[in-house]
Amino acid sequence: MTTLKQDAVDQWLETGLRDLWYPACPSSFVKEKPIAIDRLGTRIVLWRDHDGTVHALEDRCPHRGAPLSQGVILGDRLSCPYHGVEVRCDGTVTRVPGSPGCKLEGQRATRAFHVREQAGVIFLYNASAPVDEPPPLRLPAELSDDAAYSSFLCYIEWKCDYRYALDNVMDPMHGTFLHKQSHSMAEGDSTAKFAVRPTDDGFVFEKEGQRNVNFDWTEFADTGIQWMRLEIPYPKTGGPGGNFIIVGMCTPISPRLTAVFFWRVRRLAPGWQRDTWRFLYRNRLEARHWHVLEQDRVMLEQMPADAIQHENLYQHDLGIVRLRRHLRGLAQAQMDAAKAPA
């Protein structure tokens, strides 16, 4: 068994950066009963109130630590199944049936998560300290402008470190080899030189002198939530809408398990062209796209946990180096802030 040697920054990154939004799960996961999920180093309970609004707490009753996810929904509160302690969505204990008026009542004793639901996904804010109002959830236009874009969500869990999943997206060259049988991936030169181009929210890692041929570039952005975007040129048989856009995000579940979210997007206003694209996707394209994801999954899951310690990177890997450096810089800043006197 391989062992990954980690420094303090790696350990901080292992469960995700703080003070960022993260996708937690598809909206369809949360129905009429509470559910428990592991995300960001924490067991979390999600539930919907009577209006359908989603709430999230750490899945731990402040009384004895019993799972709130086994309890009863009382609107914006959960009643613990063990002793009936009621906890509101902001983490405040509102009632202790067995001992009314005890000191636990009125305490904000459970960690609460701010929640937003958009683009078919439930997002959580991973705050380093309790905040009454989180920063806005700023998603790319492909996920926030329903009038201009149509998308399908692909959700999967990969048995690898989430940072390897991020590296995979920030590696356009792997498409030429691993996915060469997919659509236009085999088009263009199998050799390339890459460059990094800064943007207002991050950077683009792109092939020099090649655009709209195959997997030519990846964009990384940090808008209070970290996301990546790329485009794959489509043949006319792929339907209307121009290039096939992919927006990706990753959330750590555990050190060797990652929640992976890919939205498959076309730029199409409502109407017959959007309807055509959606029909083609469901009936012809979706299976191919899952095949591509399966190729990625197999490759990443077979990589040893300590693969990063034995790398010999070259020019095609400048984007990965830039991304890793950015994440480590953020982690170091958060560690320094946590150590600073209040």
Side-chain angles (χ1 to χ4, degrees), residues 213-227:
V213 177
N214 53 35
F215 183 2
D216 297 328
W217 56 271
T218 298
E219 177 184 6
F220 169 82
D222 188 334
T223 59
I225 182 170
Q226 294 180 344
W227 49 268

Side-chain angles (χ1 to χ4, degrees), residues 96-234:
V96 181
S99 183
C102 74
K103 65 178 182 180
L104 184 57
E105 287 188 346
Q107 288 191 38
R108 188 175 285 188
T110 299
R111 183 183 180 188
F113 292 85
H114 290 283
V115 179
R116 298 290 184 270
E117 190 171 7
Q118 193 170 336
V121 164
I122 295 168
F123 295 88
L124 301 178
Y125 185 66
N126 190 29
S128 57
V131 293
D132 291 330
E133 186 63 31
L137 174 62
R138 294 174 52 211
L139 297 173
E142 288 86 353
L143 304 185
S144 56
D145 188 351
D146 294 335
Y149 296 93
S150 177
S151 66
F152 290 91
L153 171 66
C154 298
Y155 174 79
I156 192 170
E157 295 178 7
W158 287 347
K159 295 177 183 178
C160 69
D161 190 302
Y162 78 102
R163 288 166 289 181
Y164 282 0
L166 293 175
D167 288 348
N168 184 68
V169 183
M170 187 50 68
D171 176 18
M173 207 62 195
H174 88 271
T176 304
F177 298 94
L178 185 61
H179 306 314
K180 61 185 177 181
Q181 302 301 324
S182 172
H183 296 298
S184 59
M185 290 285 196
E187 301 295 329
D189 201 334
S190 60
T191 62
K193 185 176 181 181
F194 284 82
V196 176
R197 174 167 52 87
T199 65
D200 291 341
D201 297 311
F203 64 93
V204 174
F205 184 57
E206 57 192 352
K207 295 176 182 176
E208 293 185 345
Q210 180 172 306
R211 184 59 70 113
N212 294 324
V213 177
N214 53 35
F215 183 2
D216 297 328
W217 56 271
T218 298
E219 177 184 6
F220 169 82
D222 188 334
T223 59
I225 182 170
Q226 294 180 344
W227 49 268
M228 305 172 87
R229 175 169 52 195
L230 59 98
E231 291 184 5
I232 306 296
Y234 252 22

Side-chain angles (χ1 to χ4, degrees), residues 14-84:
E14 187 175 70
T15 55
L17 289 160
R18 283 55 159 177
D19 300 323
L20 285 174
W21 287 96
Y22 283 90
C25 66
S27 294
S28 60
F29 280 24
V30 187
K31 299 177 180 176
E32 69 279 359
K33 295 181 179 180
I35 69 162
I37 60 173
D38 292 306
R39 298 291 187 275
L40 305 164
T42 305
R43 173 62 62 92
I44 300 169
V45 56
L46 301 167
W47 79 97
R48 294 186 186 274
D49 63 22
H50 303 313
D51 296 326
T53 302
V54 182
H55 305 286
L57 292 170
E58 184 176 357
D59 191 16
R60 179 185 58 82
C61 178
H63 172 221
R64 293 279 303 282
L68 291 170
S69 56
Q70 296 297 310
V72 177
I73 296 174
L74 302 173
D76 66 350
R77 294 166 292 139
L78 288 177
S79 174
C80 178
Y82 206 12
H83 298 92

Side-chain angles (χ1 to χ4, degrees), residues 282-315:
R282 286 300 190 199
N283 288 275
R284 292 185 53 191
L285 303 175
E286 185 174 19
R288 299 182 191 178
H289 298 161
W290 278 110
H291 178 66
V292 170
L293 287 181
E294 181 66 5
Q295 291 173 330
D296 287 325
R297 182 194 66 79
V298 170
M299 186 61 59
L300 293 179
E301 290 186 355
Q302 294 301 313
M303 291 177 65
D306 66 345
I308 192 172
Q309 297 174 2
H310 304 281
E311 293 177 332
N312 292 280
L313 304 182
Y314 51 90
Q315 205 270 341

